[in-house]
Amino acid sequence: MNTPHGPEQVPHDPRTDVSVRFALRSPARLKTELLAGLVVALALIPEAIAFSVIAGVDPRVGLFASVTMAITIAIVGGRPAMISAATAAVALVIAPVSEQYGVDHLIATVILGGVFQVLLSFLGVAKLMRFVPRSVMVGFVNSLAILVFVAQIPHLVDVPWMVYPLVAAGLLVLVFLPRITEAVPAPLVTIVLLTVVTVAFSLNVPDVADQGELPESLPTLFFPDVPLTFETLRILAPYALAMALVGLMESLMTAKLVDDITDTRSDKTREGWGQGVANIVTGFFGGMGGCAVVGQTMMNVKVSGARTRLSTLAAGVFLLILVVALGDIVGLVPMAALVAVMIMVSIATVDWHSVHPRTLRLMPLSETAVMVVTVVATVSTGNLAIGVSLGVLTAMVLFARRVAHMTTVERTLTSDDTCTYRVTGELFWASSNDLVFQFDYIGDPENVVVDLTAADIWDASTVATFDAIQQKYAAKGKTVTIVGLDGASLERLRRLSGRLGGEN
């Protein structure tokens, strides 16, 4: 539901879930959340099937994973309205396990990966999100939009010509219907309308049924048949840890993105261990695991206007009903309808301001470089985790380089036997490496004062540099006095000086 000032602001407290109670008391909000969940459920079906193929398992494994992930995370997760389900990122990581050892070992990997996610979350991995700069977030968003769009291309190549007018009609509905009414979500209208047209005119176009066989029974408890030995742990642990890290990174980045869109804060630590619990539950129901699904989350939050856990829960429940009880009807939905919806999601996801020529002219080159590295790495690998990691690494290197060049050294001859060097800037491994060459060891008088009043010492490398400077002067029979330090910098110098193994 929208107000004249934009999307309806839903009160949210992650500790008490005020948002859910608000949705249950507001008929308009309840309708929005339920219809958003229905749209997401329809969009999850072909992707879950596709990810099952990537992982080398039966489509049921991916579909049931999406059901159990969504329902569980709706209860235990820390970011309301975020969608978790089977994902390509997790499928790519665990695919070798299925290929080499079979489905039972894959399910065991998912369960172990969930355990790792719980442990990592309680160890504080979510706090690392504060080190992700804005330029990486912008690159993440734009990469996501490109990946969502690229994923639709296979559905537009070598297909009957009628697919194209159907997609075009779907896009027209998605663009213009919200300008007329928002009583029902435009994506749902698009899906229903194109399905009716396809069936009524018996159009021969690809549909959901063509993507794979839908299950006909409810998921049941599943215990993987693997030897409980150290050898099994040795084989599965690397894959499980990789899955845990990829899933956490993608989920926490998505949670931060939803925070920005909804202007609310979420509990990242709870979201982290919630993802772990969801994967454990999913494993014991025979699912392939997963994490936050960025495209469907954007569809839920940005396109459909969902804001509470109810939409996530509804997506899981509706998905279960659709694939088990209404599989024959769902199978009639043309892929063209889902493609149109996902194209609109990709368009709505792009941070258009970040790529505007005026913004690019004003933005520092280093910030633009970080965004470009994130986008290129993500799109070329198809892995958001890799793109984000390289983006953060690039940002760190460029920041270190920029700070390193802000250090200055001024030499003043205060008397015939005393020379003062005033050092200004932040001193760490990058900025202090060349410091040793800034002193005149031969030409300086007997007493040298290094004034660090306008500087800070941040690491052992800098302390080792000052040790080397003192040793070089001592070899010439001269003394060095370091002044101006206090607090942590002084403590660091006192604790480490003379204990780092000699000259640089």
Side-chain angles (χ1 to χ4, degrees), residues 315-345:
V317 173
F318 280 138
L319 179 59
L320 182 62
I321 295 171
L322 288 171
V323 299
V324 174
L326 303 174
D328 292 339
I329 297 176
V330 172
L332 298 175
V333 175
M335 289 302 299
L338 300 178
V339 168
V341 171
M342 295 309 293
I343 289 175
M344 185 55 63
V345 168

Side-chain angles (χ1 to χ4, degrees), residues 212-453:
E213 185 179 357
L214 300 179
E216 297 177 354
S217 60
L218 295 172
T220 58
L221 283 175
F222 178 86
F223 296 91
D225 184 15
V226 297
L228 299 178
T229 63
F230 179 78
E231 179 63 17
T232 301
L233 180 64
R234 184 189 66 79
I235 293 171
L236 301 185
Y239 296 103
L241 182 59
M243 170 195 156
L245 292 173
V246 167
L248 282 176
M249 182 177 294
E250 193 156 335
S251 298
L252 294 177
M253 290 290 289
T254 305
K256 190 173 187 301
L257 179 59
V258 178
D259 288 354
D260 293 340
I261 292 172
T262 60
D263 291 325
T264 58
R265 294 182 63 185
S266 59
D267 188 337
K268 303 299 187 300
T269 298
R270 176 175 173 178
E271 182 59 42
W273 64 255
Q275 290 288 332
V277 171
N279 274 305
I280 293 171
V281 171
T282 295
F284 280 119
F285 276 96
M288 58 178 278
C291 61
V293 191
V294 196
Q296 272 69 24
T297 296
M298 290 300 97
M299 179 188 298
N300 193 48
V301 174
K302 205 164 186 178
V303 178
S304 298
R307 291 293 182 270
T308 75
R309 298 177 184 276
L310 191 58
S311 61
T312 309
L313 178 64
V317 173
F318 280 138
L319 179 59
L320 182 62
I321 295 171
L322 288 171
V323 299
V324 174
L326 303 174
D328 292 339
I329 297 176
V330 172
L332 298 175
V333 175
M335 289 302 299
L338 300 178
V339 168
V341 171
M342 295 309 293
I343 289 175
M344 185 55 63
V345 168
S346 69
I347 293 172
T349 301
V350 174
D351 185 341
W352 294 105
H353 177 73
S354 69
V355 295
H356 192 282
R358 183 173 57 189
T359 303
L360 295 175
R361 285 196 303 269
L362 296 174
M363 192 68 64
L365 184 59
S366 59
E367 300 281 327
T368 302
V370 170
M371 181 185 72
V372 171
V373 167
T374 304
V375 171
V376 172
T378 301
V379 173
S380 60
T381 63
N383 192 319
L384 289 165
I386 292 176
V388 170
S389 299
L390 290 177
V392 171
L393 180 61
T394 303
M396 291 171 60
V397 171
L398 293 176
F399 175 76
R401 181 177 180 273
R402 186 164 62 249
V403 173
H405 286 81
M406 294 174 65
T407 301
T408 61
V409 179
E410 298 179 3
R411 179 180 182 272
T412 305
L413 193 62
T414 52
S415 67
D416 292 341
D417 64 346
T418 303
C419 177
T420 298
Y421 286 88
R422 181 177 178 81
V423 182
T424 303
E426 304 302 315
L427 302 176
F428 63 111
W429 55 269
S431 60
S432 63
N433 267 348
D434 294 333
L435 200 61
V436 71
F437 303 112
Q438 305 295 316
F439 295 82
D440 186 356
Y441 302 102
I442 297 176
D444 283 344
E446 293 183 0
N447 298 310
V448 176
V449 176
V450 180
D451 185 357
L452 299 179
T453 303

